[in-house]
């Protein structure tokens, strides 16, 4: 009996030591801050239109006024192929031409789930097809896009899907069943355009990133600090359980996870969504500015920039440029837009 107690004690002591070591590794300490950080923005044509903005004017202002040199371009399948086998590329052609004329480098997001609610932006006609036909149609859409733009020098990287392994948003029933379709998409893009690396993204806070590291060439992660947590968005609505939250994540956690990804998979990690707009209980046009300020204002914006630097990553794309412009032009509050201009110009 004493021997058993001794072994139990040793086992518990080892567990305790491992827990303490794990805590110190992931939550204590600081990462090296890079001298030359790459700052970019995400841009969504549909988000600009939702905010009733002139999206071309906004896009031009991001490039010409803010002096942004790196843009992650969110494109919606539903917009490009509103009718099956009929492709509309005029707006994307224009955006890429502006990038070319101004020396802007583009991350082009393709796939079914490309960001912004409802996350998956597939055309209505897809609902009339079988599961396999839906997958084939998605692959054909990707094929059309890559073949059209693979010779465009403004595109630095393809990003295949947006947080494809995070069950968040309204997507086809088969979308989250497994990662085989994601692997098919990545393989197709590699076949069509072997010259570019492929980004696959994952939640910065809710994942260890190793699943996407196995699939893509670069790991893209999100970085959110304050959010309205709506349980229905994650598929398990609970009345009265929606609330504001600040993620209790130390900056060093990103550095440690990026270090693990580098050591295990020899893959680089970048931030493809740095929170720079509110995460409010509803759409911006339906939520008061005072409510929006609970999760984003000038002080929080500055704080998020400093937090990002402390993670040790060297590339960040701001999520919220459309909101900055809306605040500047529609709400007469240009403070964050002006602060961003100072950052990009420095």
């Amino acid at each position: 009996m004493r021997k058993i107690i001794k072994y139990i004690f040793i086992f518990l002591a080892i567990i305790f030591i491992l827990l303490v070591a794990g805590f110190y590794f992931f939550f204590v300490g600081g990462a090296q801050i890079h001298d030359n950080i790459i700052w970019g923005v995400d841009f969504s044509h549909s988000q600009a239109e939702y905010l009733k903005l002139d999206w071309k004017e906004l896009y031009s202002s991001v490039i010409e006024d803010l002096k942004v040199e790196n843009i992650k371009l969110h494109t919606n399948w539903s917009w490009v192929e509103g009718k099956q086998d009929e492709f509309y590329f005029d707006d994307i052609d224009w955006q890429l031409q502006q990038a070319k004329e101004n020396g802007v480098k583009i991350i082009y997001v393709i796939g079914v789930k490309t960001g912004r609610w409802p996350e998956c932006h597939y055309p209505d006609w897809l609902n009339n097809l079988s599961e396999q036909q839906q997958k084939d149609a998605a692959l054909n859409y990707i094929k059309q896009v890559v073949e059209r733009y693979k010779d465009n020098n403004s595109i630095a990287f393809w990003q295949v899907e947006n947080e494809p392994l995070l069950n968040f948003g309204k997507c086809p029933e088969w979308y989250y069943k497994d990662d085989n379709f994601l692997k098919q998409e990545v393989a197709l893009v590699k076949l069509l355009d072997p010259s570019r690396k492929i980004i696959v993204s994952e939640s910065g806070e809710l994942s260890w990133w190793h699943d996407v590291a196995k699939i893509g060439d670069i790991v893209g992660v999100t970085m959110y600090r304050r959010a309205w947590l709506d349980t229905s968005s994650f598929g398990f609505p609970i009345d009265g359980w929606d609330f504001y939250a600040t993620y209790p994540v130390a900056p060093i956690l990103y550095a440690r996870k990026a270090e693990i990804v580098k050591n295990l998979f020899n893959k680089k990690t970048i931030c493809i969504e740095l929170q720079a707009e509110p995460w409010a209980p509803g759409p911006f046009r339906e939520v008061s500015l005072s409510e929006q300020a609970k999760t984003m204002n000038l002080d929080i914006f500055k704080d998020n920039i400093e937090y990002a630097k402390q993670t040790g990553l060297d590339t960040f794309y701001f999520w919220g440029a459309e909101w900055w412009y809306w605040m500047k032009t529609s709400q007469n509050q240009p403070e964050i837009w002006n602060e961003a201009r100072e950052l990009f110009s420095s």
Side-chain angles (χ1 to χ4, degrees), residues 40-292:
V41 302
D42 290 75
F43 180 81
S44 167
H45 162 254
S46 60
Q47 177 69 358
E49 289 199 324
Y50 162 73
L51 292 172
K52 296 185 177 181
L53 301 170
D54 182 323
W55 70 267
K56 287 188 175 181
E57 181 180 278
L58 165 55
Y59 188 81
S60 297
S61 295
V62 165
I63 294 174
E64 297 169 7
D65 187 18
L66 293 186
K67 306 299 183 185
V68 172
E69 297 179 351
N70 299 277
I71 295 176
K72 183 157 77 80
L73 198 62
H74 294 259
T75 59
N76 296 346
W77 180 13
S78 55
W79 179 256
V80 175
E81 195 182 2
K83 294 183 178 180
Q84 190 170 10
D85 296 323
E86 294 183 17
F87 297 90
Y88 175 77
F89 286 110
D90 291 6
D91 292 342
I92 299 171
D93 288 347
W94 184 87
Q95 291 173 74
L96 291 177
Q97 182 61 32
Q98 300 307 304
K100 179 180 178 181
E101 292 176 2
N102 292 275
V104 173
K105 294 301 180 184
I106 298 292
I107 295 175
Y108 193 121
V109 187
I110 49 175
V112 181
K113 185 182 182 186
T114 52
R116 291 287 177 189
W117 192 256
E119 301 298 328
C120 284
H121 300 275
Y122 54 93
D124 291 338
W125 53 261
L126 200 75
N127 294 317
N128 300 321
L129 305 180
S130 68
E131 178 178 315
Q132 188 56 53
Q133 288 174 325
Q134 290 182 4
K135 293 178 179 178
D136 291 342
L139 292 172
N140 180 59
Y141 162 65
I142 290 174
K143 180 175 182 288
Q144 297 296 325
V145 173
V146 175
E147 288 188 334
R148 183 180 184 87
Y149 296 124
K150 65 182 180 181
D151 295 324
N152 190 306
N153 293 331
S154 294
I155 298 177
F157 307 102
W158 298 107
Q159 179 179 315
V160 176
E161 302 291 341
N162 190 70
E163 295 180 280
L165 304 183
L166 178 66
N167 193 342
F168 177 78
K170 299 179 180 179
C171 298
E173 291 184 6
W174 50 264
Y175 189 82
Y176 295 113
K177 287 183 179 179
D178 57 51
D179 59 9
N180 287 330
F181 181 69
L182 175 62
K183 293 175 182 177
Q184 283 184 267
E185 292 177 294
V186 171
L188 176 62
V189 176
K190 283 183 176 291
L191 177 66
L192 297 171
D193 183 10
S195 67
R196 290 184 176 87
K197 290 185 176 181
I198 296 174
I199 299 169
V200 181
S201 65
E202 182 60 289
S203 167
E205 299 77 34
L206 304 176
S207 166
W208 290 99
W209 314 345
H210 63 279
D211 287 331
V212 295
K214 297 174 184 176
I215 300 171
D217 301 311
I218 298 172
V219 174
V221 300
T222 61
M223 195 171 293
Y224 286 88
R225 303 295 303 124
R226 295 169 175 83
W228 172 257
L229 296 185
D230 181 351
T231 56
S232 63
S233 299
F234 294 93
F236 50 93
I238 304 175
D239 291 340
W241 280 51
D242 303 333
F243 57 94
Y244 283 111
T246 299
Y247 293 129
V249 178
I252 190 62
L253 180 62
Y254 290 89
R256 297 304 192 203
K257 291 199 286 187
E259 182 180 337
I260 292 172
V261 167
K262 180 66 175 178
N263 291 334
L264 292 182
F265 304 99
N266 195 29
K267 306 286 178 68
K268 180 176 180 177
T269 300
I270 67 173
C271 176
I272 45 80
E273 288 182 23
L274 172 59
Q275 184 182 14
E277 70 174 26
W279 190 327
F284 294 146
R285 296 206 324 254
E286 302 173 15
V287 177
S288 68
L289 295 184
S290 61
E291 192 72 20
Q292 293 181 36

Side-chain angles (χ1 to χ4, degrees), residues 280-333:
F284 294 146
R285 296 206 324 254
E286 302 173 15
V287 177
S288 68
L289 295 184
S290 61
E291 192 72 20
Q292 293 181 36
K294 292 179 180 179
T295 50
M296 185 53 57
N297 54 43
L298 182 59
D299 289 336
I300 295 175
F301 179 70
K302 292 178 179 179
D303 182 63
N304 283 3
I305 291 173
E306 293 307 311
Y307 179 95
K309 293 177 181 178
Q310 297 294 327
T311 65
L313 304 185
D314 67 1
T315 303
F316 302 91
Y317 285 76
F318 287 107
W319 183 260
E322 305 91 349
W323 179 75
W324 305 345
Y325 194 74
W326 178 73
M327 289 289 286
K328 172 178 178 283
T329 59
S330 300
Q331 307 301 318
N332 195 31
Q333 294 192 27

